[in-house]
Amino acid sequence: MIGSLRASVAIAAVAGAAIATAPGRAHAFCGFFVAGSDAKLTNNASQVVLMRKGNRTVMTMSNNYQGPPENFAMVVPVPVVLHKRDVKTLPADVFDRVDSLSAPRLVEYWEQDPCASQGSAYGVGGLGLVGRGAGGGGKKGKPGDLGVTIEAQFVAGEYQIVILSARESSGLETWLRQEKYNIPQGAADALAPYVRDKSKFFVARVDIRKVKRDAQGAVQLSPLRFAFDSNELRLPVRLGLLNAGGKQDLIVYVIHPTSRFEVANYANTFIPTNLEVADGVRKNFPAFFAELFDATVEKMGRKVVVTEYAWQTNGCDPCPTPPLSPQDLSTLGLDILASAETRSPYISWVLTRLHTRYSKETLSEDLIFREAKPAMGGRAKWNGTNGDEGATVSQTADGTNNFQGRYIIRHYWDKPVACKYPQYDQWSGPPGDPFGYSAPTAAKGLATAPRGKVVLRDEVRSPVPLLGIAGKPQRRKAAPR
């Protein structure tokens, strides 16, 4: 029974909007791809959405790829036999909203005239304010010589889905090869623990004739949603290494009624936040953040999962995109986890964003998740100055989660100071429009962001003790005596 429960989250491992793939590059995918040709398939990045209440979990998976037009499939362990009624396709843009809402954000503020009267100093909103809240073969029931049984098969959109059980991993590997799939080397060894746990195997073959492509030629696959019961949240990230061509990038979103989440079997850390950065960071914010993330992981010893966001779903400050709506939550699983009476327009769960980047050398176990105490950080005071420089974890389970990765371009007052007692550090919109507000820039596409192009010491103005960065604070013009 325990083995089945451990495998129950396995299918969620492929959840999320995997970004378009470039040949020879691979990032996190917690099942593995099998091709219908000799072409090697690799995925680029995985994002996992797990909505959980009690022991019930609803997960959604989606993958985009670039590759040959031959049919291919993805193979993922599942705890139970799934039927057509258990599988639901979702609109693709729901992942974009979750990603945009929780992504690290770049904001830009201007210091107001320090000689303006105190009554006309502008308190600023939108700053992160403190205190705000596949294939055929075999027949059902006839395992055959290979010990593989087709438990169910059906079509869902562009997916031809087969649910398999197997007595031995070698038999499953042979079955896939007989079905003309060029599976990764070492698949049998990787699948063996899940076969021993009596997992089923979800094989979703994609009919390339039914899929859509975006303007860049990347195939857009419809997200698939599943629900299951499990005592433990676990992702089988080891399977994703079968398609690995290098380091793997994995972002996990956990949505829970009251708690943020962290990993139980690896180190946890928070991304350095509330850092002032140079004006040039706006040119390629994803590259800057990728460098900051990589440096944090390296400093922590590589075997670490980084918390980038923990906030209530009905709010954000500043907001790169509107908060998740009740409809968004319903799409992600609230329609299953909550009754109609409790799905009010004001419902607020906690969204946690966890990010890791790993290889065969740094990660040898599946990820296990647990509830964690509330965290705060990355917010601002009412006047736009930084409210907290890093993360603070509550000593009790009570409290509100308000943590975000927030990076600030500040334009300090550089005009003449015409008063005896100037009041600095009043931040707002650009000169002439102090009430002006522009949405923050979200760092997206991090798996494919160029690396090695940014020197953090040149771009970060705030001290970052964790990374040994002293910072380069900007100096104001001296006030008249």
Side-chain angles (χ1 to χ4, degrees):
M1 182 64 177
I2 294 299
S4 176
L5 293 175
R6 288 178 177 176
S8 62
V9 190
I11 190 169
V14 294
I19 303 169
T21 313
R25 299 189 65 181
H27 299 272
F29 179 70
C30 300
F32 63 87
F33 285 141
V34 291
S37 69
D38 291 334
K40 181 180 179 180
L41 293 177
T42 59
N43 61 300
N44 183 280
S46 290
Q47 300 182 60
V48 181
V49 176
L50 298 171
M51 194 169 194
R52 184 168 173 87
K53 182 180 181 182
N55 288 341
R56 188 73 168 163
T57 300
V58 180
M59 52 56 198
T60 307
M61 69 177 187
S62 175
N63 285 277
N64 301 338
Y65 79 105
Q66 288 180 339
E70 293 85 3
N71 291 350
F72 75 94
M74 47 192 174
V75 180
V76 188
V78 293
V80 296
V81 174
L82 298 174
H83 300 280
K84 186 176 180 64
R85 64 179 179 272
D86 302 315
V87 180
K88 182 178 181 180
T89 58
L90 300 182
D93 62 351
V94 69
F95 281 101
D96 185 64
R97 290 196 290 278
V98 176
D99 184 22
S100 296
L101 178 64
S102 62
R105 66 263 346 249
L106 177 67
V107 295
E108 188 168 6
Y109 306 127
W110 286 259
E111 189 171 26
Q112 303 305 298
D113 186 347
C115 292
S117 65
Q118 187 174 1
S120 63
Y122 302 103
V124 183
L127 293 174
L129 301 182
V130 172
R132 287 186 57 180
K139 295 183 180 180
K140 179 178 174 61
K142 294 184 179 181
D145 295 337
L146 300 177
V148 176
T149 300
I150 296 179
E151 303 287 354
Q153 52 186 333
F154 51 90
V155 174
E158 65 268 38
Y159 301 98
Q160 299 171 355
I161 296 171
V162 178
I163 309 297
L164 304 174
S165 62
R167 291 201 302 264
E168 295 181 358
S169 58
S170 59
L172 179 58
E173 181 177 8
T174 301
W175 185 91
L176 290 168
R177 293 191 187 281
Q178 288 183 353
E179 290 299 306
K180 309 300 182 185
Y181 285 117
N182 181 26
I183 71 174
Q185 293 298 320
D189 290 342
L191 289 169
Y194 305 102
V195 172
R196 289 195 297 269
D197 284 345
K198 301 187 184 301
S199 299
K200 311 305 177 187
F201 294 89
F202 175 93
V203 183
R205 169 184 273 172
V206 177
D207 186 344
I208 199 69
R209 296 168 299 180
K210 293 184 178 181
V211 301
K212 298 179 180 179
R213 294 181 182 269
D214 64 15
Q216 287 70 44
V219 169
Q220 303 294 306
L221 300 179
S222 300
L224 290 168
R225 193 186 81 171
F226 307 84
F228 51 84
D229 291 305
S230 65
N231 292 335
E232 183 180 63
L233 273 178
R234 175 186 291 256
L235 295 184
V237 291
R238 291 171 299 172
L239 284 180
L241 295 170
L242 289 172
N243 290 110
K247 290 185 177 180
Q248 303 205 26
D249 206 81
L250 173 66
I251 297 177
V252 180
Y253 308 97
V254 183
I255 304 176
H256 185 269
T258 59
S259 299
R260 76 175 179 93
F261 275 68
E262 63 183 14
V263 291
N265 58 334
Y266 285 93
N268 292 277
T269 194
F270 291 87
I271 196 71
T273 187
N274 262 359
L275 304 183
E276 294 188 24
V277 298
D279 187 77
V281 167
R282 72 157 65 86
K283 297 178 181 177
N284 199 338
F285 179 45
F288 165 82
F289 184 80
E291 205 69 35
L292 178 68
F293 173 83
D294 289 350
T296 302
V297 170
E298 185 72 21
K299 187 66 176 181
M300 296 299 296
R302 300 183 186 179
K303 296 184 178 181
V304 64
V305 175
V306 181
T307 298
E308 296 177 344
Y309 189 85
W311 207 282
Q312 314 306 125
T313 57
N314 68 344
C316 49
D317 191 9
C319 296
T321 190
L324 297 183
S325 67
Q327 182 178 355
D328 292 331
L329 295 176
S330 182
T331 299
L332 291 168
L334 190 64
D335 59 334
I336 294 177
L337 299 179
S339 64
E341 289 75 16
T342 59
R343 296 198 296 270
S344 76
Y346 307 104
I347 192 167
S348 178
W349 288 33
V350 176
L351 169 62
T352 306
R353 174 185 172 117
L354 302 170
H355 189 182
T356 188
R357 188 173 175 86
Y358 62 90
S359 65
K360 296 178 182 179
E361 291 73 30
T362 60
L363 191 146
S364 58
E365 299 179 10
D366 293 340
L367 296 178
I368 301 173
F369 301 94
R370 67 187 178 196
E371 294 183 33
K373 294 176 181 177
M376 295 169 287
R379 305 172 302 171
K381 297 178 182 177
W382 68 271
N383 61 354
T385 56
N386 290 346
D388 30 33
E389 299 302 331
T392 301
V393 177
S394 174
Q395 296 301 307
T396 68
D398 299 329
T400 300
N401 284 285
N402 277 170
F403 178 84
Q404 60 187 340
R406 174 174 170 266
Y407 308 92
I408 312 108
I409 296 174
R410 293 194 186 276
H411 300 277
Y412 287 81
W413 183 261
D414 60 358
K415 297 178 178 60
V417 177
C419 60
K420 187 174 182 179
Y421 302 107
Q423 296 184 16
Y424 294 107
D425 279 328
Q426 305 295 322
W427 298 93
S428 190
D433 187 14
F435 293 106
Y437 174 76
S438 59
T441 299
K444 301 178 65 176
L446 296 176
T448 55
R451 284 173 153 82
K453 305 294 185 181
V454 174
V455 179
L456 290 178
R457 294 180 183 275
D458 294 341
E459 304 297 340
V460 176
R461 297 290 182 257
S462 303
V464 190
L466 175 67
L467 303 181
I469 296 176
K472 297 180 179 180
Q474 183 169 330
R475 296 181 178 179
R476 294 186 179 90
K477 291 184 177 181
R481 295 182 181 274

